[in-house]
Amino acid sequence: MKISLFFNGIVLTFDKNDSEFDALAIYQDKILFVGSENKVRENITHYIQKQATETSEEIILEEIDLKGNLVVPGFIDSHMHPIIAIYFKTQLLVSNVKSYFELSKLITEKAKKKEEGDWICCLDFMEERLSNPKEQIFPDKRNLDYIWSKNPIILIRHDGHICSVNSLALEKIGINKSNISQFQSKSGEIKTLENGEPSGIFTERATAIALDNVPVPNMDDFKEACIGFSQEFASYGITTIGGMLQTDETGISGSMGAIEVPLMQTFIKEGILEQDYVFYLDLKKPKKLTRFAKSFDRLSGNSGKYKIGGIKIFADGGFGARTAYMFEPFSDSKEKEIGFLVISQEDLYKRIEETLDLGFQVACHSIGDKSNKILVALYKKISKARELTENSSVLNQIGEKKQNKFRIEHASAITEDTLKEAAKIGIIISTQPGFIDSEHEWLEKRLGPERIKYVYPFRSIIDAGITLAGASDHPIESGNVLNAIQTCVIRQGFVPEQSIFPYEALKMYTYNAACAINQEDIKGSLEPGKFADIVIIEKDIRKIPTDQIGTTKIISTYHRGKRIFIK
C-alpha cells in the first residue's frame, strides 16, 4: 500500500473557508491530509507509525512534485447525456459546415459508404453558423432532397430540439398529407408546407417520431465509442457525471431511448467507464425510480459509483427552435411564436410531488422566462405545502438521507424577480456556459436587446445567493471544463456585466456541482475523508489572461486515487 504526497503546488480546497495550501496526501481512494507541506509530511509520518503498530502491512510513501501547478477537486459535469454522446461518436457530425455546399459534400461522401436505402444521420447542425445569411434557415425536406435523395436522411439541430428529414425518410416513417394529423401532439410539432404536406421538420417530442426509424449501432461500435468518450472526459478533468437518461421511446431519443439504461448498465458491467455517475431519468411514472435505484446499487456494489439521483422533466423547449416558453414573442418570429410548455402545469406539479414523496431529486429543463417563472412558482407552492427549507431532508425509498434540492436545468432566460423567489427556497441552477459560445451571435436578434440582459445571468444568479452548478449538456456542447470556465469569465462579449470570476467558475464545477447531485458530503472539495478526485492544471487560471484559460492544459486527472489521465 502507498500514500501519495503531492507537494510544491497551489491546492485550492473549496472547503467552507476557501482554504489554499501547497500539499495534500491521498491513501487508497480517499484524501488523507491537506495543508502546508511540513504539516502534511508530519501527519504522514505519524500515520505510518500508527499503522505499523496496528497492522503488519507496509505503507510506502510516493512523492509527487507539483512544480507549482494548480490542484483543484475533480470536475463534476452536473448535466449531460452520456448515451447520446456515445451515440454521436458513431454518426456523421456536421458541426463545422459553413454552407449547404459543405453539408452536401459531407452527406455525399457518407452515402458512398452506405447501401442505397440505408439511413444517414447528421448531427450537430446549426444554421446560424452558415456564412451566407440567405442560407441561415433550418432546412426542410426540399433542401435535403436537393442534397441527396437515394438514402433517407435525418438532420438534427445542435440543441436537439428540432430535426429535419428528406422525402424518402418521410416515406419510410409513413407520414404524409393525409395522415399527418394523427401524429401531431401538444408536446411537439410536425411542421407543414403551405399546401398541407409535411415539411419534414419535427420539433420537441415529435423528433422521436423521426428518430424511431434510425437504426441503432451494433454493440462493438457502442463499446468503442464509450471508451473514447470516457477518456475524452477524463482529459477534461471530469471525475463525476450527472447523466440524463431516457427510459422509453417517448423522449427526444426516440426508440433508442428505451435502450439507454440497459446500455449504461452494460458499460458498467464491462468496466469501461472511468467516472462516477449520478443519473436523472426521464420518466412519466416517478415510482419506477426506486426499482432503477436498486438495480444500479446492485451494479455498484459497495462502491456507490453509480447512483440514481432523481427524475428529469421537460417543462419547455429551446431558443433554437423558438419553443422556449416566453412572456413575449421571439423578436425574429414572423408568426409571433412564444414557445410552449411541453407538459401541463397540473402534470408537472403531480410528477414533482410524487418524486419528492419517494425522496429523490427533481431536475426540470426550463429555458424561457415564462417557463422559469411558472416552475419556480410550482416549486415554491410545493415547498410551502411541505414546509421545506434549503436544509430539509428525507429518507428515500432505498434508505438514503437526501436533501430535497429543487433543480432547474438551464434557466437560460430568468428575470430578477424570479431569481429572488428561487433563492428563498434553495433552488439550484445547473447551467451550461457553452450555450453562450453557440448562441451569442444570434441571441440578440432572437430575443431583442432588453431580454438578453437576463439571459445566462451568471452574476445575477450568484449575487441572488443561488447555488450555480456547471454543466455541458454534452453532446450539445463540448465537455471541456476549462473552455466553459473561460466563457463564464469573458462570455464572448455577450452581456459582459453578467461575467463572473475564475474562482467562482471553478466552484461551479466542483463544490456547487457536488451540491447539485447531492454528493457534497463525499466530493466537490479537497478535505480529509472525501474521495481523492483531483485535477492538476499547468497554470493558476485565476492569475493568467482570461483569454488563455481555455487553452491551459490539464496535466493529470485522478479519480478515487487512480490516475485516469496524464498529458
Side-chain angles (χ1 to χ4, degrees):
M1 304 296 288
K2 69 178 181 181
I3 292 174
S4 298
L5 167 65
F6 297 81
F7 67 97
N8 186 29
I10 304 165
V11 181
L12 303 183
T13 65
F14 291 92
D15 64 10
K16 63 181 181 181
N17 298 317
D18 289 324
S19 304
E20 181 177 334
F21 298 110
D22 64 354
L24 82 159
I26 63 177
Y27 180 56
Q28 297 180 340
D29 63 349
K30 300 283 179 29
I31 296 170
L32 189 60
F33 303 114
V34 184
S36 68
E37 181 182 342
N38 288 340
K39 187 63 176 177
V40 170
R41 286 185 181 276
E42 180 184 328
N43 288 338
I44 290 173
T45 299
H46 291 157
Y47 184 85
I48 292 175
Q49 289 173 347
K50 181 181 179 183
Q51 291 296 107
T53 63
E54 296 176 355
T55 69
S56 59
E57 198 165 346
E58 181 184 5
I59 298 177
I60 62 172
L61 179 63
E62 174 190 39
E63 298 194 16
I64 301 167
D65 185 351
L66 293 167
K67 300 177 181 178
N69 291 321
L70 182 68
V71 179
V72 299
F75 293 140
I76 299 170
D77 188 326
S78 64
H79 177 127
M80 59 85 59
H81 303 265
I83 295 299
I84 298 177
I86 291 164
Y87 173 75
F88 267 37
K89 287 186 174 291
T90 68
Q91 301 298 316
L92 176 62
L93 293 180
V94 295
S95 321
N96 299 317
V97 298
K98 300 298 183 185
S99 66
Y100 277 106
F101 174 76
E102 289 183 14
L103 178 63
S104 175
K105 189 175 180 181
L106 285 176
I107 291 174
T108 303
E109 287 299 314
K110 188 71 173 180
K112 291 178 181 178
K113 302 173 185 177
K114 297 269 189 180
E115 296 291 331
E116 190 169 313
D118 287 349
W119 280 80
I120 297 174
C121 184
C122 308
L123 304 171
D124 203 23
F125 178 78
M126 186 182 287
E127 65 272 24
E128 290 85 3
R129 290 177 179 150
L130 303 184
S131 301
N132 186 347
K134 293 181 179 180
E135 289 191 335
Q136 291 177 357
I137 55 169
F138 193 74
D140 59 25
K141 67 178 182 181
R142 296 168 297 186
N143 305 106
L144 295 180
D145 287 345
Y146 182 77
I147 290 173
W148 193 258
S149 60
K150 296 180 181 179
N151 296 76
I153 294 172
I154 181 168
L155 181 89
I156 302 173
R157 195 184 185 279
H158 172 78
D159 56 16
H161 289 269
I162 184 170
C163 71
S164 181
V165 301
N166 63 357
S167 294
L168 183 55
L170 275 175
E171 182 181 324
K172 286 184 174 290
I173 294 168
I175 295 179
N176 53 51
K177 183 178 180 179
S178 64
N179 67 8
I180 188 172
S181 61
Q182 301 172 25
F183 293 87
Q184 298 284 16
S185 73
K186 293 180 180 179
S187 58
E189 180 186 8
I190 305 171
K191 292 185 177 293
T192 58
L193 301 175
E194 290 181 359
N195 62 5
E197 289 186 1
S199 68
I201 295 176
F202 299 74
T203 71
E204 299 306 329
R205 294 279 173 160
T207 59
I209 298 170
L211 287 166
D212 277 350
N213 292 268
V214 181
V216 175
N218 64 51
M219 185 55 70
D220 287 340
D221 288 342
F222 262 128
K223 288 178 183 178
E224 182 181 351
C226 179
I227 292 169
F229 161 76
S230 290
Q231 291 173 345
E232 177 186 352
F233 266 54
S235 75
Y236 297 147
I238 294 170
T239 55
T240 301
I241 289 171
M244 308 293 143
L245 294 180
Q246 192 173 307
T247 57
D248 58 29
E249 299 181 357
T250 62
I252 59 173
S253 297
S255 59
M256 199 181 80
I259 66 170
E260 286 198 14
V261 170
L263 267 177
M264 184 57 68
Q265 292 177 330
T266 297
F267 298 151
I268 292 171
K269 292 173 185 176
E270 292 282 336
I272 54 178
L273 299 172
E274 297 285 8
Q275 290 81 14
D276 288 356
Y277 281 81
V278 177
F279 297 109
Y280 295 84
L281 306 184
D282 186 349
L283 287 166
K284 289 185 178 178
K285 297 180 179 179
K287 64 182 180 181
K288 292 182 179 180
L289 285 168
T290 301
R291 175 170 57 84
F292 282 114
K294 289 178 179 178
S295 69
F296 276 98
D297 278 353
R298 284 194 296 270
L299 287 171
S300 296
N302 296 323
S303 71
K305 287 184 176 181
Y306 312 107
K307 308 293 289 185
I308 296 295
I311 197 169
K312 166 72 181 298
I313 307 174
F314 283 86
D316 69 343
F319 291 145
R322 299 186 186 87
T323 50
Y325 194 32
M326 306 295 292
F327 282 109
E328 301 293 336
F330 287 97
S331 302
D332 62 351
S333 171
K334 295 179 181 178
E335 295 81 13
K336 302 298 181 183
E337 297 163 291
I338 61 168
F340 51 85
L341 293 179
V342 299
I343 183 174
S344 71
Q345 293 186 48
E346 294 75 19
D347 286 346
L348 180 56
Y349 185 94
K350 182 180 177 182
R351 208 174 295 183
I352 294 170
E353 280 267 77
E354 290 178 359
T355 302
L356 295 179
D357 285 342
L358 295 167
F360 292 99
Q361 273 185 290
V362 175
C364 188
H365 165 116
S366 182
I367 285 182
D369 53 8
K370 190 169 185 179
S371 178
N372 282 310
K373 181 84 169 179
I374 290 169
L375 180 58
V376 170
L378 286 178
Y379 278 159
K380 184 179 179 181
K381 182 179 178 181
I382 292 170
S383 180
K384 186 175 181 180
R386 293 166 173 263
E387 296 184 343
L388 293 176
T389 67
E390 188 173 357
N391 296 316
S392 296
S393 61
V394 296
L395 286 177
N396 67 18
Q397 293 294 297
I398 56 174
E400 299 169 326
K401 190 175 182 181
K402 293 294 182 184
Q403 289 184 307
N404 276 320
K405 296 173 181 171
F406 299 119
R407 282 178 50 161
I408 300 179
E409 312 305 295
H410 317 309
S412 302
I414 186 164
T415 58
E416 291 282 353
D417 61 316
T418 303
L419 286 176
K420 288 178 182 177
E421 294 301 313
K424 291 176 184 177
I425 54 174
I427 288 174
I428 292 174
I429 292 176
S430 172
T431 192
Q432 293 70 34
F435 285 0
I436 295 175
D437 295 328
S438 299
E439 300 171 358
H440 71 280
E441 293 181 339
W442 52 267
L443 267 181
E444 183 169 352
K445 179 182 177 183
R446 184 137 304 172
L447 298 176
E450 289 303 312
R451 283 189 291 191
I452 64 167
K453 293 176 182 178
Y454 57 83
V455 173
Y456 308 119
F458 302 156
R459 179 79 273 148
S460 294
I461 292 170
I462 292 174
D463 288 350
I466 294 171
T467 298
L468 183 63
S472 66
D473 207 17
H474 189 71
I476 304 304
E477 303 297 345
S478 166
N480 190 316
V481 175
L482 293 182
N483 275 349
I485 288 173
Q486 175 172 304
T487 298
C488 289
V489 178
I490 67 174
R491 295 177 61 92
Q492 306 288 5
F494 177 76
V495 195
E497 57 269 28
Q498 290 292 348
S499 67
I500 61 176
F501 296 109
Y503 186 84
E504 294 173 310
L506 279 167
K507 193 170 185 178
M508 286 169 54
Y509 288 89
T510 52
Y511 185 76
N512 287 2
C515 290
I517 60 171
N518 257 327
Q519 292 195 341
E520 70 272 26
D521 56 334
I522 58 174
K523 59 185 64 167
S525 59
L526 300 178
E527 300 179 78
K530 289 193 172 184
F531 282 120
D533 294 346
I534 66 174
V535 186
I536 303 174
I537 306 171
E538 67 173 349
K539 297 175 184 176
D540 185 346
I541 63 170
R542 300 171 300 171
K543 299 177 180 179
I544 63 175
T546 54
D547 61 356
Q548 294 179 14
I549 295 173
T551 55
T552 302
K553 304 297 183 184
I554 302 288
I555 301 296
S556 54
T557 305
Y558 288 77
H559 171 241
R560 296 189 176 217
K562 174 190 172 185
R563 189 171 65 197
I564 60 172
F565 170 77
I566 185 169
K567 186 178 73 170

